[in-house]
């Protein structure tokens, strides 16, 4: 996952654009040809698309959503204070907080993404007035003219959250088979492994070192497999023209799931190497007797 850190929820109100309008606005990139279907290419419609106002990147709902994500981090911090011994090393305390936060992000945010990919669908209008990220062929046995994903989630808050992130990466509006496959592993394998790491840190179980290495490797691999297809195809689904979308959404938040897992691998490897050194010294001492 990789995945992918989200903090913006575009809550609908009378003066906010709808989900469909958000798709219509942000799936239009004059520098790239987006992956869409049923688009009206007449001059009048093309001109109207470019007259649509840009989204407010720092509106009230964005700030509220930022605080909600901070609340998840504070919950992980509070849990660490509740269950960890005061003598727990700072490195393990940090890794406990990270894995608790990681699990919550995977279960609640990425879990909601999967929910909409499997259970939210809408029929596509044939007049070409709105652009959608199209379903893969025969996805869940659905026929032509049906799309799944957050774009079909209506006014659901989590669906709108993903539609905001889809402004930076269009694949998260609908169903991309590579992304969905990785998210299935993230939610149902990586999330529980993160919980297991937290449990083992609390219990001082050395198994945490092995689990952290497995988990961190999966996180880094997932991030690579999420973005490598885009790099190889000229980032056709990414909006890199906007500083916020590029450096905040795509680079900064996704790189958290690279550098912190790398730190987990480094910390765990040190403990494992120390254990081998102790065993080697012990064996050598017994041979000298």
């Amino acid at each position: 996952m990789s995945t992918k850190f989200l903090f913006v929820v575009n809550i609908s109100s009378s003066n906010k654009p709808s989900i469909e309008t958000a798709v219509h606005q942000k799936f239009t990139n004059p520098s790239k040809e987006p992956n869409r279907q049923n688009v009206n290419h007449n001059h009048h419609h093309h001109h109207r698309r470019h007259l649509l106002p840009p989204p407010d990147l720092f509106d009230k709902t964005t700030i509220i959503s930022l605080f909600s994500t901070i609340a998840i981090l504070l919950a992980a911090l509070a849990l660490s204070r509740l269950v960890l011994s005061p003598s727990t090393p700072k490195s393990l305390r940090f890794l406990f907080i990270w894995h608790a936060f990681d699990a919550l992000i995977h279960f609640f945010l990425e879990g909601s993404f999967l929910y909409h990919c499997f259970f939210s669908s809408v029929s596509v209008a044939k007049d070409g007035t709105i652009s959608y990220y199209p379903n893969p062929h025969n996805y869940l046995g659905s026929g032509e003219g049906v799309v799944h994903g957050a774009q079909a989630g209506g006014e659901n808050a989590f669906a709108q959250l993903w539609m905001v992130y889809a402004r930076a990466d269009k694949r998260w509006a609908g169903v991309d088979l590579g992304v969905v496959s990785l998210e299935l592993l993230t939610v149902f394998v990586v999330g529980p492994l993160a919980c297991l790491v937290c449990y083992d840190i609390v219990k001082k179980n050395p198994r945490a070192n092995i689990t952290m290495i497995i988990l961190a490797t999966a996180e880094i691999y997932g991030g690579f497999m999420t973005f490598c297809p885009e790099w190889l195809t000229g980032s056709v689904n990414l909006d890199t023209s906007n500083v916020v979308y590029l450096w905040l959404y795509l680079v900064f938040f996704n790189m958290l799931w690279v550098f912190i897992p790398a730190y987990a691998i480094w910390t765990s490897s040190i403990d494992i190497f120390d254990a081998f050194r102790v065993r080697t010294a012990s064996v050598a001492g017994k041979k000298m007797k």
Side-chain angles (χ1 to χ4, degrees):
M1 172 164 282
S2 164
T3 197
K4 328 42 147 193
F5 184 87
L6 306 174
F7 66 86
V8 279
V9 181
N10 187 13
I11 301 173
S12 292
S13 61
S14 59
N15 60 349
K16 300 289 182 182
S18 66
I19 291 288
E20 289 77 9
T21 302
V23 180
H24 181 73
Q25 285 179 279
K26 299 312 300 176
F27 279 25
T28 302
N29 188 337
S31 64
K32 298 174 184 177
E33 179 61 27
N35 187 3
R36 61 181 183 254
Q37 64 185 37
N38 296 332
V39 180
N40 187 338
H41 292 285
N42 68 70
H43 176 75
H44 173 73
H45 179 61
H46 178 78
H47 180 67
R48 182 171 62 84
R49 286 204 307 262
H50 289 280
L51 292 179
L52 291 173
D56 186 352
L57 298 176
F58 299 103
D59 60 6
K60 180 180 178 181
T61 56
T62 298
I63 301 302
I64 293 174
S65 302
L66 173 60
F67 280 107
S68 69
T69 301
I70 294 175
I72 295 177
L73 179 60
L74 291 177
L77 177 62
L79 181 62
S80 72
R81 293 181 178 274
L82 179 66
V83 300
L84 290 179
S85 167
S87 62
T88 302
K90 290 182 179 180
S91 60
L92 285 180
R93 184 175 294 273
F94 171 78
L95 289 171
F96 176 93
I97 295 170
W98 165 254
H99 284 94
F101 175 77
D102 186 44
L104 291 173
I105 291 293
H106 291 331
F107 290 144
F108 288 100
L109 296 186
E110 291 167 282
S112 70
F113 170 78
L114 286 181
Y115 173 85
H116 288 295
C117 286
F118 284 96
F119 300 108
S120 294
S121 63
V122 65
S123 296
V124 177
K126 297 184 181 300
D127 56 8
T129 57
I130 299 176
S131 299
Y132 289 90
Y133 191 93
N135 271 6
H137 176 68
N138 201 40
Y139 178 71
L140 301 181
S142 59
E144 298 294 330
V146 176
V147 294
H148 288 74
Q151 62 192 351
E155 304 306 317
N156 179 272
F158 284 106
Q160 296 195 26
L161 178 151
W162 286 106
M163 289 310 301
V164 173
Y165 187 73
R167 296 173 182 173
D169 188 340
K170 301 177 183 68
R171 295 174 296 172
W172 299 89
V175 174
D176 178 276
L177 292 180
V179 170
V180 171
S181 299
L182 287 170
E183 289 298 341
L184 284 169
L185 290 174
T186 298
V187 173
F188 294 106
V189 177
V190 174
L193 281 178
C195 294
L196 180 61
V197 168
C198 293
Y199 176 81
D200 284 344
I201 291 176
V202 171
K203 297 298 183 180
K204 298 181 171 61
N205 189 331
R207 178 180 60 188
N209 292 306
I210 300 298
T211 308
M212 279 193 286
I213 291 176
I214 295 172
L215 178 56
T217 302
E219 297 275 20
I220 295 172
Y221 176 82
F224 179 81
M225 292 304 297
T226 297
F227 288 102
C228 186
E230 287 300 303
W231 301 333
L232 295 175
T233 56
S235 300
V236 293
N237 288 305
L238 306 182
D239 184 353
T240 58
S241 65
N242 183 290
V243 173
V244 174
Y245 296 161
L246 174 60
W247 294 107
L248 186 63
Y249 292 5
L250 297 175
V251 176
F252 176 74
F253 287 125
N254 283 287
M255 290 306 289
L256 288 176
W257 268 263
V258 175
F259 287 109
I260 298 181
Y263 172 74
I265 292 175
W266 179 73
T267 302
S268 299
S269 297
I270 290 176
D271 278 351
I272 293 173
F273 294 155
D274 286 344
F276 277 115
R277 279 191 287 267
V278 169
R279 188 185 69 174
T280 300
S282 176
V283 172
K286 290 180 180 178
K287 289 181 179 180
M288 292 177 62
K289 292 181 179 179

